[in-house]
Amino acid sequence: MAVQYEKLSGLFTLETENSMYQMKVDAYGFLLHLYYGKKTAGSMEYLLTYYDRGFSGNPYDADRDRTYSMDALPQEYPIWGNGDYRSPCLEVRMADGSFGSDLRYQGYEIEDGKYGIAGLPAVYGDSSIAQTLKIFMADEKSGLEIVLYYGVIPEYDVITRTVKVENRGRETVQLEKVYSACLDFLSGEYDWISFYGRHAMERTVQRTPVVHGLQVIGSRRGTSSHQYNPFLILAAHEATEDYGDCYGLSLIYSGSFKGEVEKDQYNQTRISIGIQDEQFCYELKPGEVFYAPEAAMAFSGQGLGNLSRHYHKLYRHHLCRGKYKSVPRPVLINNWEATYFDFTGDKIYEIARQAKELGVEMLVLDDGWFGKRDTDYSGLGDWKTNERKLGGTLKDLVNRINGLGMKFGLWVEPEMVSEDSELYREHPDWAFAIPGRKPVRGRSQLVLDFSRPEVVDGIYKQISMVLDSANIEYMKWDMNRSISDVYSAVMAADRQGEVLYRYVLGLYDFLERLHVNYPDLLVEGCSGGGGRFDAGMLYYCPQIWCSDNTDAIDRISIQYGTSFGYPVSAVGSHVSVAPNHQNGRVTPIDTRAAVAMAGSFGYELDLCRLTEEEKQQVKRQIEEYHKYWDVIHNGDYYRLTNPMEQDVAAWQFVREDKRESLIQVVMQNTHGNPVVPYVKAAGLDPEKRYREEDTGVVYTGAALMYGGIPVPQRAGEYLAYRMYLVQV
Ligand code: DGJ
């Protein structure tokens, strides 16, 4: 049993294969967090200490006992108003204007299988892999109730959480903050690891010690954002890739969010994550419910690599869905960097024909195929083929591409509208704008109000007509600006604080309809590259365009950061032209391919312009990708170096049965009279022997892992090496 409850002691214990999570209902009905970490087999209540502490108040029912304070005790789900002055998870403005709530334990339920959340993405799993615990808490005065949900997935050392808030009272309340999960630690010195960036430079790893005060990251942009990712790690100071305790908090949500870590006056640490509370206020009328998005917590007692592998497996097997969840995705050619807006149907056909000759399996027609869209100043919202530009209908073009033996994919940006479009002229109120103010433009476009079902319906109708008009097997769902001017024309003034949350629900509703009505469609997420690379999107899109930066060297760091919380199979990654369009860097085409192969692989350049030699290289790369696909997508992923700190970037894939492995190495720098870097392999069976494919040399797993491999030194910048190992 993954979930256990002991009535006498009030202890709830959640167990995974290698972790234990414990909380307790105390004598007053408060829910205290006791422990999360390696298994200890027993009650951890002894960790709680009680002292009379100044300025840390006591609940009224504690009477003269001044040693009992919510300000010092670890909370399971901290609530504002009961004497805990640290950053809370729940803050409610009551009908009388006060902010105090007092939620006490009412009961629990244990169910087999993993709970789901209506309208929101969630990890799924039946009774063979998961159990659910629900804990009910209520505020007697207001009638407010919350249900804390826990989904325990032992195999991956994961516990998911969400919170349902229900108004069972007689008066309307305002939810000012509803976080999804929190972890309180009584002791320990920690680092927190977060992922920051900007457009075309996403998910840079930042590791800093947790210090006194509140450290915060998040997004106010309506999307999870390029700037910060909704994924946090709390790691013991001494934790490394393969050593030490670390905890992940991953928010399965694609909108504005906040992540916080706080070291308090007693050196206790609190880490929490949830939807952004700024510009958020949700009116909960009597009888209404609100669901916080799900957060997935994972624990590793063996370092960060292991923590990442928990998330990789969880998300690959129990979050991603659809036909392409576990089958090879077609190697694609995307025309964006080859043509931008400047193409014709014949040019696209030409690119496809050349690509097919080299082994590419799908042509993706990017931005510019519809409406009046020869620049990014117009056309969004008018999802009708520009037949003049394509020289025929979309179906004609798709048929021609299919005739080559290739699949066809299409770019769309359904959440957006250009002011110069028929849609905007007809429905100006569908776009976000604050009455009487001129809206902030982003990429010269406005954002459609997806919190309104009729707007979602209207765009869905257009997009589904396109999908029904031809054999379209892939869709790239783009989103190219941060949201601003949030105001919904149909929402009452006092409910505007709900709009961004409802927007995300509208987005999910649209994506869910695609999932249900077009089960064979592969949807790739995108937001100006990786501006919405989050676990929420993975529920609908098994792959997400990782970054608009296609330079192999920058991509190494971007993909390195991404790998902490997301599987390689989710990373859309393409070989593009050199010099690179984003930073002008020149790298060998095989290096570009090595980096792009650590993902869902494709090309994004005019293959017709390659030299004959390069074309042969592309042919070989595609053959290699097919050969290694299984170990890359289904194998365990290991980060062998830190490319942000070392010249040598190296990563490795190992099949779960350890019989096969692929190591990729890229030299990020070159020096005279070079020092030879040694890369140590990981994850192999130390006792077994492995033959390296190219040289035929046989090594023991132990030698490769403990002695390492000298990286060959050749003159030349950015060279890539590969070692494919098979057990003998
Ligand atoms: C941003 C995407 O990330 C690019 O790949 C491309 O699709 C452009 N948008 C098209 O406008």
Side-chain angles (χ1 to χ4, degrees):
M1 285 280 279
V3 182
Q4 284 163 42
Y5 175 63
E6 272 176 44
K7 200 164 177 215
L8 263 185
S9 56
L11 275 187
F12 285 98
T13 305
L14 315 183
E15 282 196 312
T16 68
E17 274 178 17
N18 303 290
S19 76
M20 188 179 101
Y21 185 98
Q22 211 171 57
M23 53 199 150
K24 177 193 164 68
V25 183
D26 75 359
Y28 306 113
F30 292 118
L31 191 61
L32 302 179
H33 179 77
L34 295 183
Y35 176 80
Y36 188 25
K38 291 194 184 98
K39 286 188 174 180
T40 68
S43 168
M44 301 303 281
E45 195 182 345
Y46 75 93
L47 292 173
L48 302 181
T49 60
Y50 300 89
Y51 295 99
D52 180 356
R53 289 166 150 145
F55 292 86
S56 286
N58 322 105
Y60 203 77
D61 7 3
D63 199 16
R64 292 187 156 220
D65 178 4
R66 296 207 305 223
T67 69
Y68 191 100
S69 175
M70 301 302 269
D71 204 24
L73 287 165
Q75 308 293 311
E76 183 56 30
Y77 189 69
I79 288 154
W80 183 255
N82 64 9
D84 177 5
Y85 290 90
R86 292 165 289 182
S87 188
C89 278
L90 183 72
E91 207 177 316
V92 184
R93 185 147 38 98
M94 295 294 171
D96 61 8
S98 69
F99 284 89
S101 18
D102 184 8
L103 288 139
R104 307 283 179 115
Y105 176 78
Q106 301 295 310
Y108 75 99
E109 275 172 17
I110 297 174
E111 286 167 11
D112 284 338
K114 164 74 178 53
Y115 63 85
I117 316 172
L120 282 163
V123 166
Y124 56 86
D126 62 18
S127 53
S128 65
I129 78 130
Q131 247 190 344
T132 293
L133 166 68
K134 295 185 206 165
I135 297 183
F136 302 90
M137 319 263 302
D139 177 28
E140 207 184 317
K141 178 180 180 292
S142 66
L144 193 73
E145 293 198 3
I146 62 171
V147 185
L148 304 178
Y149 284 73
Y150 298 81
V152 187
I153 305 171
E155 191 181 341
Y156 304 119
D157 289 326
V158 164
I159 299 173
T160 65
R161 291 174 64 171
T162 192
V163 181
K164 176 169 119 179
V165 186
E166 190 166 356
N167 186 351
R168 294 197 171 205
R170 283 202 295 271
E171 290 175 305
T172 298
V173 300
Q174 312 288 336
L175 307 180
E176 304 275 341
K177 182 177 184 184
V178 190
Y179 271 14
S180 302
C182 161
L183 286 171
D184 270 4
F185 294 87
L186 282 162
S187 64
E189 292 296 320
Y190 299 99
D191 290 345
W192 84 310
I193 300 173
S194 59
F195 303 87
Y196 72 93
R198 56 188 185 275
H199 174 234
M201 276 313 285
E202 299 88 340
R203 289 172 295 286
T204 312
V205 182
Q206 172 168 268
R207 180 172 181 160
T208 53
V210 176
V211 292
H212 286 99
L214 190 62
Q215 287 163 272
V216 178
I217 57 140
S219 160
R220 303 182 185 92
R221 296 167 184 270
T223 55
S224 47
S225 89
H226 302 85
Q227 286 71 16
Y228 296 99
N229 195 262
F231 177 51
L232 307 175
I233 298 173
L234 191 74
H237 263 332
E238 65 279 9
T240 63
E241 268 301 309
D242 49 20
Y243 174 81
D245 287 355
C246 25
Y247 304 83
L249 270 185
S250 172
L251 192 67
I252 305 176
Y253 187 62
S254 310
S256 299
F257 77 97
K258 217 181 219 181
E260 302 179 359
V261 62
E262 181 175 15
K263 188 172 187 172
D264 75 5
Q265 54 185 336
Y266 306 118
N267 290 352
Q268 302 181 151
T269 299
R270 169 171 294 174
I271 182 165
S272 52
I273 200 162
I275 53 176
Q276 172 65 264
D277 56 332
E278 291 171 41
Q279 287 121 58
F280 170 80
C281 180
Y282 195 98
E283 186 175 279
L284 206 63
K285 292 203 166 78
E288 287 184 346
V289 298
F290 172 86
Y291 281 96
E294 179 162 89
M297 311 187 299
F299 169 75
S300 161
Q302 287 136 28
L304 297 161
N306 194 41
L307 187 81
S308 296
R309 286 186 288 280
H310 290 329
Y311 280 109
H312 297 170
K313 288 181 193 162
L314 178 78
Y315 288 166
R316 246 177 25 223
H317 300 308
H318 294 284
L319 184 64
C320 292
R321 302 177 296 167
K323 171 176 160 185
Y324 284 100
K325 168 181 158 174
S326 41
V327 303
R329 317 220 177 105
V331 174
L332 64 85
I333 173 85
N334 177 304
N335 72 299
W336 180 242
E337 285 202 19
T339 65
Y340 296 102
F341 290 111
D342 186 15
F343 59 83
T344 60
D346 284 343
K347 177 65 196 166
I348 296 300
Y349 178 77
E350 212 24 56
I351 291 175
R353 198 193 48 75
Q354 176 61 81
K356 170 67 188 171
E357 250 178 58
L358 304 181
V360 175
E361 295 152 314
M362 177 163 73
L363 177 286
V364 175
L365 177 57
D366 211 280
D367 197 353
W369 59 269
F370 55 92
K372 182 180 150 200
R373 185 74 174 167
D374 290 326
T375 68
D376 55 16
Y377 289 104
S378 60
L380 292 171
D382 296 341
W383 301 106
K384 283 181 211 89
T385 309
N386 182 340
E387 296 185 1
R388 187 188 38 79
K389 188 166 178 177
L390 292 194
T393 63
L394 187 61
K395 188 173 180 166
D396 292 337
L397 179 64
V398 176
N399 286 348
R400 284 174 85 193
I401 306 285
N402 286 169
L404 291 167
M406 287 179 98
K407 294 181 190 299
F408 182 88
L410 196 63
W411 178 98
V412 290
E413 193 177 0
E415 297 153 81
M416 295 293 150
V417 66
S418 307
E419 285 155 275
D420 185 1
S421 69
E422 283 169 26
L423 185 83
Y424 187 74
R425 282 184 280 275
E426 204 178 320
H427 296 289
D429 68 306
W430 280 19
F432 280 141
I434 299 170
R437 294 186 195 280
K438 297 285 179 216
V440 173
R441 294 185 178 122
R443 206 192 189 199
S444 302
Q445 61 200 46
L446 302 181
V447 184
L448 288 172
D449 179 1
F450 263 37
S451 76
R452 289 170 64 176
E454 68 275 25
V455 176
V456 173
D457 286 348
I459 304 297
Y460 183 81
K461 202 167 149 199
Q462 282 201 54
I463 299 287
S464 61
M465 273 168 73
V466 174
L467 288 174
D468 295 340
S469 73
N471 183 26
I472 298 166
E473 297 180 75
Y474 159 108
M475 176 178 276
K476 177 174 171 187
W477 181 299
D478 207 346
M479 198 288 187
N480 280 302
R481 59 161 292 178
S482 301
I483 302 178
S484 67
D485 300 277
V486 177
Y487 178 86
S488 184
V490 295
M491 191 67 110
D494 55 356
R495 302 199 74 159
Q496 294 292 335
E498 299 171 25
V499 172
L500 272 185
Y501 172 78
R502 291 182 183 276
Y503 176 97
V504 180
L505 295 187
L507 165 72
Y508 289 153
D509 173 35
F510 196 132
L511 288 165
E512 184 64 23
R513 290 191 218 178
L514 286 181
H515 173 76
V516 171
N517 297 332
Y518 300 92
D520 292 340
L521 184 72
L522 169 59
V523 184
E524 175 159 355
C526 175
S527 174
R532 202 158 54 184
F533 202 114
D534 57 63
M537 289 307 282
L538 287 182
Y539 191 63
Y540 308 96
C541 317
Q543 67 190 55
I544 301 174
W545 182 226
C546 186
S547 177
D548 270 350
N549 189 335
T550 54
D551 166 55
I553 303 304
D554 277 351
R555 264 295 181 123
I556 286 174
S557 292
I558 296 168
Q559 292 180 188
Y560 170 79
T562 305
S563 78
F564 280 81
Y566 306 98
V568 160
S569 58
V571 173
S573 198
H574 300 167
V575 174
S576 66
V577 76
N580 179 266
H581 286 191
Q582 288 76 42
N583 63 12
R585 196 187 329 250
V586 177
T587 51
I589 194 164
D590 277 342
T591 301
R592 283 174 262 156
V595 175
M597 275 189 208
S600 282
F601 186 56
Y603 290 83
E604 188 164 334
L605 73 172
D606 189 347
L607 291 168
C608 309
R609 296 193 183 177
L610 296 187
T611 63
E612 220 19 70
E613 192 193 341
E614 284 171 330
K615 286 181 186 168
Q616 292 318 309
Q617 281 170 288
V618 168
K619 232 180 183 168
R620 272 201 308 277
Q621 290 162 2
I622 295 172
E623 281 162 15
E624 271 177 21
Y625 186 66
H626 286 307
K627 180 167 165 196
Y628 303 136
W629 174 82
D630 187 39
V631 69
I632 292 175
H633 276 219
N634 296 325
D636 287 340
Y637 177 81
Y638 291 85
R639 294 178 288 267
L640 301 184
T641 66
N642 177 348
M644 290 162 59
E645 289 173 0
Q646 290 162 268
D647 279 349
V648 56
W651 57 93
Q652 182 182 6
F653 308 95
V654 185
R655 250 176 63 165
E656 263 185 64
D657 62 9
K658 298 185 185 297
R659 297 184 65 82
E660 187 192 346
S661 176
L662 178 71
I663 299 175
Q664 303 270 26
V665 180
V666 176
M667 290 307 298
Q668 300 189 101
N669 226 327
T670 176
H671 304 284
N673 192 12
V675 173
V676 177
Y678 286 77
V679 168
K680 287 186 177 167
L684 301 173
D685 184 335
E687 309 284 323
K688 295 280 172 16
R689 296 178 335 129
Y690 292 85
R691 174 174 289 112
E692 203 277 314
E693 184 188 42
D694 287 344
T695 58
V697 177
V698 175
Y699 307 85
T700 63
L704 293 167
M705 292 196 292
Y706 312 145
I709 307 144
V711 179
Q713 291 302 293
R714 280 188 278 131
E717 262 192 325
Y718 311 124
L719 296 177
Y721 303 94
R722 183 201 61 216
M723 257 188 131
Y724 176 60
L725 301 159
V726 181
Q727 243 182 49
V728 290

